[in-house]
Amino acid sequence: MSNKFRRETICIQGGYTPESGEARVLPIYQSTTFKYGDSSQMGRLFDLEEDGYFYSRLANPTCDAVAAKICELEGGHAAMLTASGQAATFYAVFNIAGAGDHIVSSATIYGGSSNLFTVTMKKMGVEVTLVDPDAPEEELAKAFRPNTKAVFGETVSNPALVVLDIEKFARLAHSHGVPLIVDNTFATPINCRPFEWGADIVTHSTSKYMDGHAVSLGGCIVDSGNFDWEAHKEKFPGLTTPDESYHGLIYTKAFGKNAFITKATAQMMRDLGSSQSPHDAFLLNLGLETLHLRVPRHCENAQKVAEFLQDNENVSWVSYPGLPGDPYHKLAEKYMPDGTCGVVVFGLKGGREACVKFMDSLKLGAIVTHVADARTSVLHPASHTHRQLNDEQLVEAGVKPDLIRFSVGIENVEDIIEDIVQAMEAAKE
C-alpha cells in the first residue's frame, strides 16, 4: 500500500494486496519450505542474489505481509517479525553490537530487557551503561564510549510509565555516530511514531496491544532506513565489511537501506532462530485490524481509572502520563497527544501487603504475567516480573516496592472501577 493512506486504513489493508482471484484475507502459508524446479535458482536464493522463499525460518509470505503492515504503520523502510518481543530487542542490538562493544540504555525499561543487557549480553561480551532518562544531555553524554554502538529506550516504559524524550536521545545518539533504538510496545504506532522524532530503529512486543487478545507471542523490528551506516563504517563492520558466510557480501553495498533488516534476517535469524510462525503472524494480523479501535478505548478507560485513583483515599500515589500533574505529562502531550497507553501504576496505603491483598481480591481484573490486551489485568512487578532485581535495582528501574501495574482493558470502565472499589474494601479486612 502507499504511505498516503492513514493509519486506520493501514491497520485493515496494509501489507497484503490480493490479486484477482486470490484470497481476500491474508492466507496462512503453513509450510516450512518452498519448492523450486531449478537448482541454480535455489543457489541464488542462498547467496542472497535473488528474492524468494525457501525456508520459513528466514522468510515466509504470511510473516512478511504482517511485517510490512507494521512497517507501514511506523512509517519505516523495512521490517521483520520475531518469535517474541525479547527476541526483537536482542536481534536489534546484537545485529550491530558484539563482544567488546558497548551500548547505552535508559535505566527505566522492562525488567526482561534490563536483564538481557546486564546479565546475558554481558556474558557475550557486550557492556551496557544504564542511564537516568531524565538526566540533562551533558550528563548523559558522559555514558558514551568510543566502542558504543547503540542507544536504547522505551517510548513509555514498562512498568514505570516514564516517557522517553525521543528527540533528546536521538540527538545524543547521532552526535556519537550511533543509532537510537526505541521499543514502542506500549504506545504503538497509533499513539506515537518514533521515526518522526529522530529514532532509527523501532522494536515491538507484538504480544501486547498489537495482538490484543493474549493469544500469540511475537515481536517485530522496524528500520527507518535513515541511519547512514556507511558514514560510520568503522563502528559497524558487520554491515560495512565483507561477510565471509555469504562469499564476502557487504550488506550496505548490496542492499542499501535494506542492509540492517537483511543482515538481521540472513545472519541473526539464520544462526539463532526465534522466527515467528505463520499461524502466529496470522493471529497477529487479526489483532492489527482492530488496533486503531482498541488503543483509543484503552487510553480512555485508563484515563478515567487514573482520575478515580488520584482522588481515592486508599491510594498513596498514582502515575499516569495522561494526568496533568504527572511528571511526564508534558512529554506525553508532545510525543503522544492522542494518548499514551492503557496501563496505570499506583500504590496503596498499607504498602506492599495491602497491594497483594488488593490484587487477590479483584474479580474482573486477573493476576497474570501479561499486560496490554483486551482484558483488565494486574501485576506486582517487585514480586513477579522484576523479582530478580534487588531493591537498589528496583529503584533504578523506577519500580517501587508497592507498585501495582494495572493494565486497563476495554471492558465497561464503570465495571472496572467498581471492581477496584470492592477489592480495596476487601483489602482492608
Side-chain angles (χ1 to χ4, degrees):
M1 290 182 70
S2 167
N3 282 333
K4 69 180 181 181
F5 290 109
R6 294 166 179 81
R7 274 167 274 193
E8 296 87 348
T9 303
I10 296 170
C11 281
I12 302 294
Q13 298 207 27
Y16 173 67
T17 304
E19 301 294 336
S20 179
E22 292 184 341
R24 182 69 180 90
V25 176
L26 175 66
I28 305 175
Y29 287 85
Q30 194 66 50
S31 179
T32 61
T33 190
F34 301 84
K35 178 182 179 296
Y36 291 91
D38 186 331
S39 178
S40 62
Q41 184 181 16
M42 181 69 80
R44 292 193 297 275
L45 291 169
F46 271 97
D47 283 343
L48 306 182
E49 294 175 351
E50 186 174 314
D51 291 331
Y53 299 99
F54 52 94
Y55 198 59
S56 280
R57 184 173 83 244
L58 295 173
N60 175 281
T62 305
C63 296
D64 280 1
V66 179
K69 174 178 285 190
I70 297 172
C71 188
E72 283 188 69
L73 285 170
E74 285 287 4
H77 181 77
M80 65 180 285
L81 297 185
T82 60
S84 67
Q86 193 76 336
T89 298
F90 175 56
Y91 281 18
V93 174
F94 200 57
N95 200 34
I96 51 177
D101 290 334
H102 170 258
I103 64 171
V104 174
S105 174
S106 167
T108 52
I109 56 175
Y110 167 58
S113 299
S114 179
N115 201 69
L116 170 67
F117 294 155
T118 61
V119 179
T120 301
M121 292 193 74
K122 182 179 180 180
K123 294 177 182 177
M124 303 170 76
V126 179
E127 287 191 80
V128 61
T129 298
L130 299 176
V131 297
D132 177 359
D134 299 330
E137 288 187 49
E138 57 270 22
E139 186 67 28
L140 293 171
K142 297 176 183 177
F144 287 81
R145 305 175 186 174
N147 61 337
T148 300
K149 297 300 176 72
V151 178
F152 182 87
E154 297 176 356
T155 45
V156 182
S157 68
N158 176 16
L161 302 186
V162 171
V163 176
L164 188 74
D165 190 340
I166 303 172
E167 283 191 317
K168 178 176 77 173
F169 272 76
R171 281 195 303 270
L172 279 162
H174 297 159
S175 67
H176 291 85
V178 300
L180 172 60
I181 303 172
V182 174
D183 182 329
N184 197 30
T185 297
F186 266 20
T188 82
I190 300 302
N191 284 342
C192 183
R193 301 216 295 182
F195 295 150
E196 295 174 355
W197 302 99
D200 301 290
I201 297 159
V202 161
T203 62
H204 284 278
S205 170
T206 61
S207 320
K208 310 303 188 295
Y209 289 119
M210 284 188 167
D211 165 65
H213 305 92
V215 296
S216 175
L217 286 175
C220 186
I221 307 172
V222 186
D223 181 17
S224 67
N226 294 331
F227 190 82
D228 190 346
W229 306 104
E230 281 287 327
H232 309 281
K233 61 189 306 178
E234 73 287 347
K235 277 185 171 286
F236 307 103
L239 288 164
T240 62
T241 61
D243 181 352
E244 297 308 321
S245 68
Y246 283 109
H247 308 296
L249 174 147
I250 299 174
Y251 292 98
T252 51
K253 300 294 186 185
F255 302 105
K257 288 190 173 186
N258 291 321
F260 182 86
I261 291 295
T262 300
K263 179 176 180 290
T265 303
Q267 193 182 86
M268 297 290 103
M269 195 66 80
R270 176 198 65 188
D271 295 345
L272 300 171
S274 299
S275 54
Q276 187 166 145
S277 76
H279 186 257
D280 281 331
F282 175 82
L283 294 174
L284 168 58
N285 189 58
L286 294 180
L288 287 169
E289 289 181 353
T290 60
L291 184 66
H292 62 295
L293 301 174
R294 290 182 288 103
V295 167
R297 178 61 177 266
H298 279 290
C299 293
E300 177 187 339
N301 281 1
Q303 183 70 30
K304 291 178 180 178
V305 167
E307 290 170 356
F308 165 80
L309 292 170
Q310 190 176 42
D311 297 329
N312 190 278
E313 61 180 9
N314 300 300
V315 176
S316 57
W317 63 272
V318 59
S319 178
Y320 185 67
L323 295 173
D326 190 88
Y328 298 99
H329 184 67
K330 287 186 177 180
L331 280 177
E333 284 189 318
K334 175 181 177 178
Y335 294 118
M336 293 158 268
D338 296 325
T340 53
C341 65
V343 178
V344 179
V345 295
F346 63 98
L348 294 177
K349 293 175 182 177
R352 193 165 181 161
E353 184 179 348
C355 294
V356 172
K357 286 182 179 180
F358 165 78
M359 292 191 301
D360 289 346
S361 301
L362 289 168
K363 296 178 180 178
L364 189 152
I367 301 173
V368 297
T369 306
H370 206 247
V371 66
D373 65 65
R375 301 162 189 82
T376 294
S377 60
V378 65
L379 196 77
H380 184 238
S383 299
H384 305 136
T385 54
H386 289 62
R387 67 180 298 119
Q388 75 273 20
L389 304 181
N390 59 39
D391 287 349
E392 183 179 341
Q393 291 171 323
L394 283 170
V395 172
E396 190 177 46
V399 180
K400 299 178 182 179
D402 63 343
L403 184 150
I404 295 172
R405 186 183 72 181
F406 198 84
S407 180
V408 185
I410 55 175
E411 305 95 343
N412 185 288
V413 71
E414 295 304 323
D415 290 333
I416 298 171
I417 291 174
E418 287 174 8
D419 191 37
I420 292 172
V421 170
Q422 69 80 24
M424 284 180 174
E425 290 303 314
K428 294 178 182 177
E429 299 175 358

